[in-house]
Amino acid sequence: MATIRTGIIASVMSTAILLSSVATAAPNAFAADKSTTTSNGKAKNVIFMLSDGNSIGGTTLTRWYDIVKKNDPNYRLALDDPSFDLALQRTYCTNSIITDSAPAGTAYSAGYKSADKFISVMPDEVKMPGLPPVNEADKYKPLVTVLEGAKLKGKATGIVSTSNVQHASPAAISAHWYARSNYEEIAEQQVYQDIDVVFGAGSRYLSNRKDGENLLDVLTSRGYVYADTPASMAAASGNKIWGMFADTAMTRDIDRDPAKQPSLAEMTKQAIDTLKKDKDGFFLFVEGSEVDWSAHSNDPVGLISDINAFDQAVKTALDFAKQDGNTLLIVTTDHGNGGITIGSKETDDTYSKLPIDKVVQPLLKAIKSADFIAQQLPKDASDEQIKAQLQTYWGITDVTPEELAEAKRWLAKEGDRDYGLGRIISSRANLGWTTHGHTGEDVLVYSYGPNKLSGLIENTDTAKAMAQAMGINLQELNNTLYVNAEAAFKQLGATYRIDNTDAANPVVVVEKGTAKAELPLSKDIIKINGKETSLTGLVIRGKEDRPVFVPQEAIDLFKKALTGK
């Protein structure tokens, strides 16, 4: 892994100092250049963990639930470990005070604030106060991520999630696109990023694709071991493993069949054990994805389940970091969701007399999530069918007509069918929710190891702290890993065109004299006179009417073909 890449970073960084005039300048940062840290040390390894859509309210509720369930008043979460330093983090994006996961992921991954639905590309608009406008030439430009920087540094890389790995947060660390919902495009970029370890869901986006490609074959050709069960994952002993444990998404942890799907902690441990073999260290991204989904549906059962699953993964990572002594661990969330509170309108006059049992005991009766229950019920579920499911899985026997009506209204829909169920158990647990959407409050950041974060920071500071710990300059890499291809090749006197003969698989074609280069979009490949070479980065076009960007290395290779040196 590392030996192939070790020399790359030196040439890339030196190239940054002597940029061609056609290379697009690094876009202006949308936050202070200096991260707020308690140290400026370097780290061999960086682990970044994201509990998507979590908040103080969710973490607090989970801790109280565990204290009662374990009958241990002194129980603390792994997140409560006193070794962590704490910071408070602002989460807004360029066009809203409340962020979507895609621009939040861009901030964490690339150190820049971006726009709604954008995956590690520059924004097309800036509306929030205090942020500079975006230059026309920079709109949709790919932004180098800390994962890409780690690869160039010779480090092994990995991503782990409980959603499909093409979902917004894991996509932002590993791909570049202006619409987070284009899972097939993101999947292709991820496969050609040559990430060493990938665990999660999303196998449906690897084969039977609209572009006719079979990305499973690509993974095999690149030396990956492919796993689709916990047993096959555990048996995988190579340095490159791709594990897909569901077509689209794994289940909430409380609903998980351990014979079919590994836990987030198990995937995290396997990823660390594999990546730590690299002598140059590693970068690992881990997401507890479905905390967010349970918050969207206002389901405290699924929420607690997946916060606890994430917390066990945090324990796994923290134990490693403590033993290793050379690892930066950062744990956070990208935004709040649902606005969960302990206390609701029903406790307006009784909050100071609310015993803990009135909150936790109704939740302890639950053995499945709202999502699980919704999947058991048809779109036209009767009152009796709903009552039977709620009694079986939540121990609720006194559902009101109003609650049944709300449950049926949502069950009749195509999506978000569990949205009407969560509030039924929430009302019995004296929990409040303000929305089915994201919320805009500041969130906590936990950090351990070199370059720990403290104070009030921007979400972009997280990426900068990770990059600094690994000795990476993201702004310099933006000049060399993603260069305007048309301008750069034309400066060499070459012709430039995009071949759309296969409309689903466009190819950049560059010609001068007897030299011909072909660069398929969304891949790390250049063919010069038929000879294929792997590049250090991807060939990216964010939108059809925008420029294609390529690594400076592609320009240099074509120039060598022209001059022989």
Side-chain angles (χ1 to χ4, degrees):
M1 291 179 289
T3 53
I4 297 174
R5 307 182 188 127
T6 303
I8 294 171
I9 188 69
S11 62
V12 170
M13 296 303 284
S14 61
T15 304
I17 301 171
L18 299 172
L19 291 175
S20 165
S21 61
V22 298
T24 303
N28 292 329
F30 286 119
D33 288 335
K34 185 179 180 182
S35 300
T36 305
T37 63
T38 56
S39 67
N40 292 309
K42 303 299 182 185
K44 180 179 179 181
N45 312 306
V46 172
I47 303 173
F48 177 48
M49 305 187 72
L50 191 73
S51 178
D52 198 299
N54 198 4
S55 62
I56 289 288
T59 303
T60 304
L61 176 64
T62 301
R63 186 187 302 109
W64 279 118
Y65 174 92
D66 291 343
I67 285 171
V68 175
K69 184 174 183 178
K70 297 175 185 296
N71 193 26
D72 180 2
N74 297 313
Y75 178 80
R76 295 295 180 265
L77 300 168
L79 286 169
D80 300 326
D81 191 295
S83 301
F84 279 122
D85 276 24
L86 298 180
L88 196 61
Q89 182 169 250
R90 306 176 76 188
T91 61
Y92 63 95
C93 61
T94 62
N95 55 359
S96 176
I97 193 172
I98 301 176
T99 191
D100 171 63
S101 292
T106 301
Y108 296 129
S109 302
Y112 292 85
K113 288 188 181 286
S114 194
D116 187 40
K117 307 300 185 285
F118 281 31
I119 295 287
S120 289
V121 295
M122 286 289 286
D124 60 342
E125 63 178 7
V126 177
K127 293 183 176 179
M128 288 295 290
L131 301 180
V134 58
N135 297 327
E136 183 63 33
D138 287 333
K139 293 179 180 179
Y140 303 97
K141 183 184 187 295
L143 291 163
V144 176
T145 70
V146 288
L147 181 144
E148 291 172 317
K151 282 176 55 186
L152 290 171
K153 199 71 173 175
K155 296 180 183 295
T157 56
I159 57 175
V160 175
S161 73
T162 52
S163 67
N164 56 305
V165 296
Q166 305 85 13
H167 213 260
S169 299
I173 206 84
S174 55
H176 310 272
W177 202 248
Y178 65 96
R180 55 171 284 183
S181 59
N182 193 342
Y183 293 151
E184 288 202 0
E185 168 65 32
I186 292 165
E188 183 171 32
Q189 291 187 35
Q190 288 175 325
V191 166
Y192 283 94
Q193 279 280 26
D194 210 32
I195 304 163
D196 297 289
V197 175
V198 176
F199 291 147
S203 58
R204 67 175 293 179
Y205 305 110
L206 299 178
S207 58
N208 299 315
R209 293 162 49 88
K210 295 175 184 176
D211 61 9
E213 296 194 50
N214 188 329
L215 297 179
L216 290 174
D217 290 343
V218 177
L219 291 172
T220 300
S221 71
R222 292 191 167 213
Y224 284 91
V225 174
Y226 186 80
D228 58 6
T229 65
S232 59
M233 181 187 79
S237 58
N239 293 333
K240 298 179 73 171
I241 311 171
W242 197 290
M244 295 280 97
F245 308 106
D247 286 346
T248 54
M250 298 173 71
T251 64
R252 309 297 196 271
D253 195 70
I254 197 172
D255 307 328
R256 180 175 59 88
D257 181 345
K260 295 180 179 179
Q261 296 181 355
S263 69
L264 186 61
E266 289 168 339
M267 292 190 290
T268 300
K269 185 179 187 305
Q270 177 104 4
I272 291 172
D273 287 346
T274 303
L275 297 173
K276 71 181 184 182
K277 300 174 188 176
D278 193 303
K279 65 181 180 62
D280 297 305
F282 66 83
F283 171 82
L284 174 63
F285 169 81
V286 178
E287 183 192 35
S289 319
E290 297 178 35
V291 174
D292 179 74
W293 299 359
S294 289
H296 272 299
S297 58
N298 293 176
D299 171 22
V301 179
L303 185 78
I304 291 169
S305 158
D306 277 57
I307 291 175
N308 267 326
F310 179 77
D311 193 64
Q312 288 302 305
V314 170
K315 183 180 187 304
T316 298
L318 183 59
D319 286 348
F320 168 78
K322 287 181 176 181
Q323 182 179 14
D324 174 70
N326 199 8
T327 296
L328 170 63
L329 171 61
I330 296 179
V331 185
T332 189
T333 183
D334 48 356
H335 51 75
N337 192 349
I340 186 171
T341 57
I342 298 175
S344 65
K345 287 294 184 183
E346 283 67 39
T347 63
D348 279 353
D349 300 323
T350 59
Y351 60 84
S352 61
K353 301 178 181 64
L354 184 66
I356 190 172
D357 285 353
K358 290 290 186 179
V359 174
V360 174
Q361 286 300 330
L363 303 175
L364 289 173
K365 297 176 184 178
I367 58 174
K368 293 292 183 182
S369 72
D371 177 68
F372 178 91
I373 294 173
Q375 291 184 41
Q376 311 308 306
L377 292 166
K379 293 179 69 174
D380 59 349
S382 67
D383 290 358
E384 294 308 313
Q385 286 176 308
I386 296 171
K387 287 179 180 179
Q389 292 292 318
L390 293 180
Q391 181 171 353
T392 299
Y393 296 113
W394 283 355
I396 294 175
T397 59
D398 57 344
V399 188
T400 68
E402 294 77 16
E403 289 171 332
L404 285 169
E406 181 68 1
K408 292 169 77 171
R409 181 171 76 87
W410 285 98
L411 287 168
K413 296 177 181 290
E414 292 296 330
D416 303 331
R417 298 181 65 245
D418 55 343
Y419 275 35
L421 296 171
R423 292 195 182 220
I424 295 175
I425 194 168
S426 291
S427 67
R428 286 157 176 73
N430 293 284
L431 300 175
W433 298 88
T434 63
T435 177
H436 282 294
H438 294 181
T439 52
E441 72 273 18
D442 298 338
V443 297
L444 278 178
V445 185
Y446 308 78
S447 56
Y448 174 86
N451 252 28
K452 292 184 288 188
L453 294 152
S454 64
L456 177 64
I457 66 171
E458 296 284 350
N459 50 10
T460 51
D461 289 325
T462 303
K464 295 170 188 175
M466 292 189 288
Q468 185 182 49
M470 292 187 286
I472 295 165
N473 187 317
L474 291 174
Q475 292 207 28
E476 287 184 355
L477 289 180
N478 273 310
N479 283 324
T480 55
L481 199 59
Y482 293 113
V483 174
N484 185 312
E486 182 174 10
F489 283 119
K490 283 185 174 180
Q491 191 183 45
L492 298 177
T495 61
Y496 171 97
R497 62 187 172 90
I498 297 178
D499 184 351
N500 288 301
T501 303
D502 181 352
N505 297 283
V507 178
V508 171
V509 179
V510 181
E511 295 178 276
K512 183 178 181 182
T514 59
K516 179 180 180 180
E518 300 168 278
L519 298 98
L521 295 187
S522 305
K523 296 178 171 61
D524 64 342
I525 293 170
I526 184 171
K527 291 182 181 179
I528 299 180
N529 296 333
K531 182 181 179 181
E532 184 174 302
T533 301
S534 292
L535 297 168
T536 56
L538 299 172
V539 177
I540 299 291
R541 179 175 62 178
K543 287 185 84 173
E544 288 188 4
D545 60 342
R546 305 300 296 187
V548 174
F549 292 90
V550 300
Q552 177 67 37
E553 179 191 17
I555 314 300
D556 295 339
L557 287 170
F558 186 70
K559 185 177 180 180
K560 183 177 180 180
L562 294 176
T563 64
K565 57 183 178 180

